[in-house]
Amino acid sequence: MASGSKKTSRKKGVTKRNRTGVKKRAAPKKKAAGRAKKTPKKSVKKARRKKTARKGRSRRSTSAATRRWPKRLLKLAVVLVLVVSLPIVIYGFILDARIKDRFASQPWKQPARVFARPLELYVGASLSSGELERHVLELGYARARQPERPGDFARAQNHLRLISRGNSLAGVPSQALDVYFSGNTLVELTDGNGAPVPLATLEPQMIGSILARSGEDRMVVGADAVPHLLKQALIAVEDRRFSTHHGLDFKGIARAAFANIRAGRVTQGGSTITQQLIKGHFLSNEQTWKRKFKEALMAISLDARMYKDEILLAYINEIYLGQDGRRAIHGFDLASRFYFSRRLDELDVHQIATLTGMVRGPSQYNPRRYPQAALERRNQVIGILEQQDVISAEAAAVARDQPLGITRDRTGNFGGYPTVLSMVKQQLLRDYKQEDLTSVGLSVFTTLDVIAQQRVEQHMSQALEQVERDSGAASESLQTAAAVLAPDTGELIALVGGRQIGFDGFNRALEMRRPIGSLIKPFVYLTALESGRYDLDSMISNAPLDVELENGQIWSPRNFDDLYGGDVPVFKALSQSFNTPAVRAGLDVGVDNVVETLRSMGITRDIDAFPSLLLGSVELSPLEVAQLYLGLAGRGFVTPPRVVRTVKDAAGNELKSYPLEVQQAASADSAYQIVHTLRLAATQGTARSLAYRLPGITVAGKTGSTNDFRDSWFAGLTQSAVAVVWVGRDDNAPTGLTGSRGALPVWASIMRALNSSPLLQYAPESLLQAPFDYASGEALPYCDPAVLIPLRPNVDRQSIVDCR
């Protein structure tokens, strides 16, 4: 038992009794230190396999993680690229749409071109060889020993040989002409073979453009009008890899950057022709990365959308090539005309090289301001063309030997007639929007006679200087304005807005409003004749007069010389320009009716029917006064003044014509009687100095002056012109000049310059031709010598002699 008990006590968990007798399981004994428990071989292998498996799993996890991180990095990169590039792509589409919209619609703003009437050549024309030479020079013709191509001319004393260019829009053909003169008259006209030519027409002269506020101007040309040499020169000088790159030339950019770094300054540009087109057409000149980035995107887009030839043609029409005052010269064709007075397809090698060289710096290489710099740049371009085998060595040598050949800084074709252009715009804006006039390339053909305009300008200036000398006025203290119209059509012949020829400033002929003084009197008496209560022999008191106004004040009109008398006939009252008879007649027929006469004769502005109107207090422009006298010249038929004949679109299709408009405003008999009386004024009355200023030329006219001699007027008629002249001061100070001492001499000088025809008037059969003594105003019983006065027949005049 002892041995059994001992064995039992060694067992694990043997229970013992505690003091209470409850059996309690004994805790197992701890193993002796260093004593290992034996494990079966299967368990060891299994444990090893688990351990190895755990290590394998760990190694596989590390390897998988190592393999996954490049993929994650790539995904991250893709996401970043998408995040960054998506806005760029969207922005690129926006820019592309802008390019598509611009070039699909109207890519360039083309201002309306305004042309004068074509110059007609015929035997007997009033024209000198000098005037024709000046005219063809303003058309851009070039002198030549022997004219060989359109735009060439040669002059030998009184003989000009030329080959006209023609103008398809105006329907004018090109032809060779020989023109011979004797003094100021064309005496012989033949073609290139010596055959007589009854009538030849030169192409119309462009007198200006209607520009937008930006001042951007260009003449767009088609591919057939661009010299092949110009295309080659631009590629050789500006973009040698133009044909192969896709809008951006990275080699060119690197080359330019290296050259600039080496030189320490900007000596080369890396922009392609495509980029330059984008910059000029869409972007500003600001040097920022944003603008450069935008330019690059748009260049790529444009290159993808357009053929290379289309891009180059657009560039030729777009590029900026200088400044003419506020007008920006864009495109090679306009630059060719501006600098060389020739069309683009007429340029020689050295001229093409000059314009090509200007692309780098239009201001820096401006041939008018910096001729030496322009010459050096031109020769540099010629050298490049020779190196690139664009031209031969012989052609390069010839081109280098040529002078720049820049024409004088002309104003003829480019804004030399701002006064006329103002009237053109005024008429066109009745039918067209301002945007149409500045952007869609209209061609406007006007009535302006440039030869007459030049004569009027020259002789007005000389006559005004003489008036200043004769009157003792300070030199250049007086100003002037004039309107000259054709009496039968109302077409503008010439318009002068001031003594500074070609100055684009205040246009006094259109914009100035001054009291017209005694120029109103023919229309006061026209109203009286039309009323049926007056005739030219009706007697009116020439005594002093007091008129009570509506406000109770007294108005006392006075005669110019403070000389008064008894009764005078209407014809003498008008020809001598007495004031008090005119006021009496006007008050008698009604001031309102006088205002209505003015309106019927074409005046559209509001006019106050005050008694002072009867002495010319109404303020009108010279052109508006000419409108009134047109009605008299037209025997009572009113023709509105007009300057535009036709308007055509860029393709040459006629959009609108402005035909003659006629409306009867007064009877032919009354109008004839007034004009006949104005003929008396030119021989017996206030304008009698015309008898020696224009000897042998019958005219009808009326002087006018205002209070304190602030304004001097003259309005007159000949067979070929209705002309109105104003002389005064811009500050409205007194001049001391009456109409006969100020405006009349200037008017007479204009008529001499225009070789104006004598006024021819045929008396209506319905009127008597009654003889009168002019001095006394009394009727005579005989016809010669006497002044014949046209009168209406009635029962009271059966005893009057009729000298028809």
Side-chain angles (χ1 to χ4, degrees):
M1 293 296 294
S3 60
S5 299
K6 187 176 181 181
K7 185 177 181 180
T8 303
S9 63
R10 288 196 299 266
K11 290 182 179 179
K12 182 178 178 181
V14 175
T15 58
K16 295 182 179 180
R17 291 183 182 270
N18 58 15
R19 292 179 180 177
T20 59
V22 178
K23 293 183 178 178
K24 183 178 180 182
R25 192 175 182 88
K29 294 183 178 180
K30 292 183 180 179
K31 295 179 180 178
R35 186 178 178 181
K37 184 178 180 181
K38 293 182 178 180
T39 305
K41 291 182 178 180
K42 291 182 179 180
S43 299
V44 171
K45 292 179 179 179
K46 186 177 181 181
R48 287 177 178 172
R49 283 196 300 270
K50 290 181 179 180
K51 184 176 181 181
T52 302
R54 284 196 300 271
K55 290 181 178 180
R57 284 195 300 271
S58 178
R59 283 194 296 267
R60 285 195 299 270
S61 299
T62 302
S63 177
T66 303
R67 290 194 300 269
R68 281 198 298 269
W69 76 263
K71 294 181 179 179
R72 291 177 178 175
L73 187 60
L74 182 60
K75 289 181 180 180
L76 179 61
V78 170
V79 171
L80 289 175
V81 169
L82 289 176
V83 169
V84 173
S85 63
L86 185 59
I88 296 176
V89 172
I90 295 174
Y91 187 51
F93 276 115
I94 294 173
L95 296 178
D96 180 72
R98 183 179 172 188
I99 290 173
K100 178 183 177 182
D101 178 67
R102 179 67 65 87
F103 281 98
S105 55
Q106 179 68 23
W108 295 282
K109 289 185 179 297
Q110 300 180 64
R113 304 288 171 195
V114 183
F115 297 88
R117 73 171 71 176
L119 177 63
E120 294 183 339
L121 304 176
Y122 53 91
V123 173
S126 174
L127 186 69
S128 69
S129 59
E131 286 177 322
L132 180 58
E133 180 181 27
R134 175 182 175 179
H135 184 67
V136 296
L137 284 172
E138 290 195 341
L139 286 173
Y141 282 37
R143 298 181 190 274
R145 290 185 178 180
Q146 181 63 39
E148 296 178 349
R149 59 182 181 177
D152 286 350
F153 83 98
R155 179 185 176 186
Q157 295 182 344
N158 290 325
H159 169 220
L160 262 78
R161 172 169 292 176
L162 60 90
I163 304 177
S164 66
R165 288 198 183 103
N167 184 301
S168 58
L169 287 176
V172 176
S174 172
Q175 58 185 137
L177 296 169
D178 284 285
V179 193
Y180 299 88
F181 298 88
S182 176
N184 294 325
T185 305
L186 194 159
V187 295
E188 185 178 357
L189 180 64
T190 61
D191 63 14
N193 298 317
V197 176
L199 175 67
T201 305
L202 300 185
E203 68 269 27
Q205 178 180 338
M206 190 179 75
I207 60 172
S209 305
I210 301 177
L211 302 178
R213 290 184 177 180
S214 64
E216 188 173 305
D217 194 6
R218 64 171 47 79
M219 297 187 73
V220 177
V221 294
D224 56 344
V226 179
H228 184 62
L229 177 60
L230 176 61
K231 299 178 184 178
Q232 292 177 302
L234 289 172
I235 293 173
V237 175
E238 293 295 320
D239 191 356
R240 296 179 187 176
R241 278 176 285 275
F242 174 72
S243 301
T244 57
H245 65 63
H246 298 290
L248 301 178
D249 182 6
F250 295 103
K251 290 183 180 180
I253 294 172
R255 183 198 69 246
F258 179 73
N260 294 336
I261 293 172
R262 186 172 59 181
R265 58 188 177 88
V266 178
T267 60
Q268 294 186 20
S271 296
T272 63
I273 284 177
T274 313
Q275 287 176 275
Q276 292 180 48
L277 173 60
I278 288 295
K279 178 182 175 182
H281 200 60
F282 293 97
L283 307 177
S284 66
N285 290 322
E286 58 178 345
Q287 297 295 326
T288 63
W289 287 108
K290 179 180 178 182
R291 202 270 297 163
K292 288 285 188 181
F293 177 69
K294 188 175 181 180
E295 176 188 294
L297 287 180
M298 297 180 80
I300 294 171
S301 173
L302 184 63
D303 188 86
R305 280 200 168 275
M306 297 176 66
Y307 293 110
K308 292 291 186 179
D309 287 344
E310 294 174 329
I311 293 174
L312 188 58
L313 180 61
Y315 178 82
I316 288 169
N317 282 314
E318 171 61 37
I319 194 69
Y320 170 73
L321 288 169
Q323 199 74 24
D324 176 29
R326 79 174 190 90
R327 188 174 68 124
I329 306 299
H330 283 261
F332 278 88
D333 189 59
L334 182 59
S336 173
R337 297 169 190 265
F338 180 63
Y339 293 110
F340 300 111
S341 299
R342 300 188 74 85
R343 294 193 316 231
L344 185 58
D345 57 3
E346 296 174 351
L347 296 185
D348 294 322
V349 174
H350 68 283
Q351 295 166 324
I352 289 176
T354 299
L355 295 182
T356 303
M358 290 181 64
V359 172
R360 176 183 290 182
S363 299
Q364 179 182 356
Y365 300 114
N366 185 316
R368 286 203 177 98
R369 297 184 62 186
Y370 308 109
Q372 187 58 38
L375 183 63
E376 292 173 0
R377 175 60 178 161
R378 182 203 73 175
N379 291 341
Q380 183 183 19
V381 170
I382 292 172
I384 295 173
L385 299 183
E386 182 182 359
Q387 293 170 9
Q388 298 289 316
D389 292 327
V390 175
I391 60 176
S392 66
E394 294 78 9
V398 171
R400 287 191 189 94
D401 289 340
Q402 300 298 318
L404 277 175
I406 302 300
T407 56
R408 62 188 175 90
D409 192 2
R410 299 178 302 107
T411 57
N413 283 356
F414 302 100
Y417 304 94
T419 306
V420 178
L421 289 177
S422 296
M423 186 175 174
V424 170
K425 286 186 280 188
Q426 192 178 82
Q427 181 173 338
L428 289 176
L429 285 173
R430 302 171 193 165
D431 302 300
Y432 295 92
K433 298 178 181 178
Q434 178 71 29
E435 184 180 355
D436 295 334
L437 301 182
T438 60
S439 63
V440 298
L442 300 178
S443 292
V444 182
F445 296 93
T446 73
T447 67
L448 176 69
D449 183 335
V450 290
I451 300 294
Q453 177 75 22
Q454 291 162 1
R455 289 178 180 176
V456 170
E457 290 174 345
Q458 178 184 357
H459 285 78
M460 278 191 72
S461 178
Q462 295 172 354
L464 193 61
E465 291 174 359
Q466 186 63 48
V467 168
E468 289 174 337
R469 288 192 293 269
D470 293 345
S471 65
S475 177
E476 298 188 358
S477 63
L478 299 178
Q479 268 294 352
T480 188
V484 184
L485 307 173
D488 52 344
T489 62
E491 292 186 337
L492 180 79
I493 297 174
L495 194 70
V496 179
R499 68 186 300 163
Q500 290 179 275
I501 297 173
F503 176 65
D504 189 5
F506 181 54
N507 188 344
R508 296 166 186 81
L510 290 180
E511 301 166 13
M512 181 189 71
R513 303 286 183 269
R514 289 294 183 97
I516 65 173
S518 294
L519 297 189
I520 193 74
K521 290 175 183 174
F523 305 95
V524 174
Y525 289 112
L526 179 65
T527 307
L529 294 178
E530 288 287 271
S531 71
R533 296 158 54 187
Y534 289 82
D535 209 331
L536 290 185
D537 63 343
S538 300
M539 305 300 288
I540 307 178
S541 172
N542 191 27
L545 175 68
D546 292 330
V547 179
E548 183 177 356
L549 305 178
E550 291 183 356
N551 59 8
Q553 294 182 346
I554 301 299
W555 175 51
S556 300
R558 309 183 68 83
N559 285 340
F560 166 72
D561 52 8
D562 273 339
L563 297 177
Y564 303 91
D567 293 347
V568 294
V570 167
F571 71 82
K572 188 169 184 178
L574 175 55
S575 61
Q576 293 292 339
S577 197
F578 295 145
N579 286 342
T580 55
V583 173
R584 283 188 167 91
L587 292 175
D588 185 35
V589 298
V591 179
D592 288 339
N593 289 326
V594 175
V595 171
E596 190 59 36
T597 296
L598 297 177
R599 287 177 179 154
S600 67
M601 300 295 279
I603 302 302
T604 58
R605 69 177 57 257
D606 293 335
I607 300 175
D608 295 323
F610 298 142
S612 59
L613 165 75
L614 303 173
L615 294 183
S617 64
V618 58
E619 296 182 349
L620 299 177
S621 70
L623 184 64
E624 287 175 314
V625 175
Q627 160 79 78
L628 289 174
Y629 280 79
L630 267 179
L632 295 179
R635 294 286 189 95
F637 288 89
V638 174
T639 302
R642 63 192 180 109
V643 66
V644 178
R645 284 179 170 175
T646 58
V647 179
K648 296 185 178 182
D649 62 18
N653 302 309
E654 185 173 302
L655 299 177
K656 187 173 180 62
S657 63
Y658 292 83
L660 179 66
E661 297 179 8
V662 179
Q663 183 176 355
Q664 189 167 9
S667 68
D669 287 354
S670 297
Y672 173 83
Q673 288 179 295
I674 294 296
V675 172
H676 184 87
T677 306
L678 296 183
R679 287 176 58 184
L680 287 179
T683 57
Q684 308 282 340
T686 56
R688 56 186 175 273
S689 65
L690 287 173
Y692 70 84
R693 294 183 186 275
L694 296 173
I697 300 179
T698 303
V699 300
K702 183 72 189 75
T703 57
S705 56
T706 57
N707 291 340
D708 300 323
F709 304 108
R710 299 178 188 275
D711 302 281
S712 174
W713 290 90
F714 190 82
L717 320 176
T718 68
Q719 191 65 25
S720 53
V722 173
V724 174
V725 171
W726 168 87
V727 172
R729 292 170 58 104
D730 283 340
D731 60 4
N732 202 29
T735 64
L737 298 172
T738 61
S740 60
R741 292 184 60 218
L744 184 148
V746 178
W747 187 91
S749 181
I750 290 174
M751 293 300 105
R752 284 196 304 271
L754 295 178
N755 295 318
S756 199
S757 305
L759 179 64
L760 298 176
Q761 274 200 311
Y762 299 98
E765 291 293 329
S766 56
L767 296 179
L768 304 173
Q769 296 296 317
F772 278 79
D773 176 64
Y774 183 83
S776 65
E778 296 179 355
L780 297 175
Y782 47 81
C783 294
D784 190 35
V787 172
L788 299 182
I789 303 299
L791 301 174
R792 292 186 177 92
N794 58 45
V795 293
D796 298 328
R797 291 200 172 115
Q798 294 181 359
S799 60
I800 291 181
V801 176
D802 186 0
C803 298
R804 284 182 293 188

